[in-house]
Amino acid sequence: MGKRILVTGGAGFLGSHLCDRLIKEGNDVICLDNLYTGNKNNIRHLIGNDYFEFIRHDVTEPIHLEVDQIYNLACPASPVHYQYNPIKTTKTSVLGAMNMLGLAKRVHARILQASTSEVYGDPEIHPQPESYRGCVNTIGIRSCYDEGKRVAETLFFDYHRMHKVEIKVMRIFNTYGPNMHPADGRVVSNFIVQALKGEDITVYGDGSQTRSFCYVDDLIEGMVRLMNSRADFTGPVNIGNPGEFTIKQLAEIVIELTGSNSKIIYQPLPSDDPLQRKPVIEIAKKELDWEPTIALEEGLKWLPKKVLRKPLLTLRKLYEKRTVHLPYALPSAHCHGEGVAFRKGFRSDSLRCGLYRRRGNTKSQTIRHI
Ligand code: NAD
Ligand code: UDP
């Protein structure tokens, strides 16, 4: 029999894939999202389905619902978005975790936290096993996200110890796939958009920093397996693809796969940008019988065709209409150029539905990102 399942952040990149998967399996799904970085287009096809409900709500506020399972994904994940309003990011992670754990406790629901490899910070141990406690700056521009997620993990384990809440903590490594916002500033979407537009590919630093990229289908499989794992298995568990690439290699692969004429250019490395990242996935293999099945080159071959579910040519045309390039680096740290317009001109509550509305002291103009 299907379960009643709450997915917070369900209109975002990972959340929308999870909603699809849970609906397909015959569950009753409530998608809760404030549409800060999420997009109704990601879940539009589910609206009208008797087993799907969308609630526009902010996880920093309590809510009463009757559910059997909670996937807590609500939180902006791209550095551009989580650094845009860092105080809100910490509130979302910490108050969001408290509210969802309170709900889980009240209705005896099992709850999964979408934690992150960022809890390892700029790791001194490579690759990173779950036992590694991390090297995190408490006062840097990434801290709102990293420390918010670390406190959320602490809350999960304290609710488990004090109130016997059934918890699952999943440390997600960089994931890519359809439904990523093409303008969200993450490296895979940035490079693909730049390659399709024939623009320079912006590698930050010398491109020697590494990341391990997991295709979204693999990730969602790991997430669902973790939620349904034996009751006394809490994690934390790393879910990611151990294939490790430098950012320069990623740029070269994207250029080759898209047949683009783009050139690689080098820009300053943002502060606290981790130099290396690769998961140890032995626990996932043993406890969940999970490992990734899709290699980076394979996933990247599909992506330009699947992004927004539009054929490549249409996509290219749409990208050509894009008028503003969202900067990766944040204006608080880099106080010049486009970043300032982004900071002053965009209100956080208008980061929604693919429409970024420019207000305030800049020209009143609607900028349509696809
Ligand atoms: P996303 O930005 O696409 O999705 C996040 C969703 O949460 C959006 O729909 C957004 O509108 C919603 N949201 C944000 N703040 C909210 C709030 N206060 N109340 C209600 N909804 C809110 O990001 P994603 O890539 O889908 O990430 C989902 C989760 O997975 C996040 O918690 C993120 O930290 C975690 N994660 C993702 C990755 C990755 O590579 N994608 C890596 C590590 C961890
Ligand atoms: N990066 C880059 N060019 C871009 C966007 C990102 O070189 O246009 C780099 C970034 O500095 C980081 C890596 O790519 O080293 C991954 O960045 P992303 O924002 O995707 O995720 P995270 O840093 O959180 O892993």
Side-chain angles (χ1 to χ4, degrees), residues 221-275:
E221 181 63 38
M223 191 180 273
V224 172
R225 284 189 192 203
L226 174 59
M227 177 60 104
N228 297 299
S229 58
R230 64 185 164 84
D232 58 347
F233 179 64
T234 56
V237 58
N238 289 339
I239 300 285
N241 190 325
E244 184 184 11
F245 295 83
T246 67
I247 295 304
K248 182 159 180 267
Q249 278 174 323
L250 176 72
E252 289 163 353
I253 295 171
V254 168
I255 290 174
E256 196 187 318
L257 290 177
T258 52
S260 170
N261 295 324
S262 295
K263 301 274 169 294
I264 295 176
I265 58 162
Y266 295 90
Q267 294 187 346
L269 190 68
S271 63
D272 291 340
D273 199 292
L275 290 181

Side-chain angles (χ1 to χ4, degrees), residues 79 142 174 186-187 190 202 204 209 211 247 273 277 328:
R142 294 176 85 101
N174 298 59
R186 281 184 267 191
V187 69
N190 264 14
T202 52
Y204 302 150
Q209 70 272 35
R211 294 292 186 273
I247 295 304
D273 199 292
R277 207 184 271 156
Y328 169 86

Side-chain angles (χ1 to χ4, degrees), residues 48-66:
N49 184 317
D50 288 346
Y51 295 94
F52 181 80
E53 265 171 273
F54 173 71
I55 301 178
R56 190 172 192 142
H57 180 82
D58 194 308
V59 284
T60 60
E61 301 292 337
I63 189 164
H64 296 270
L65 296 164
E66 289 294 329

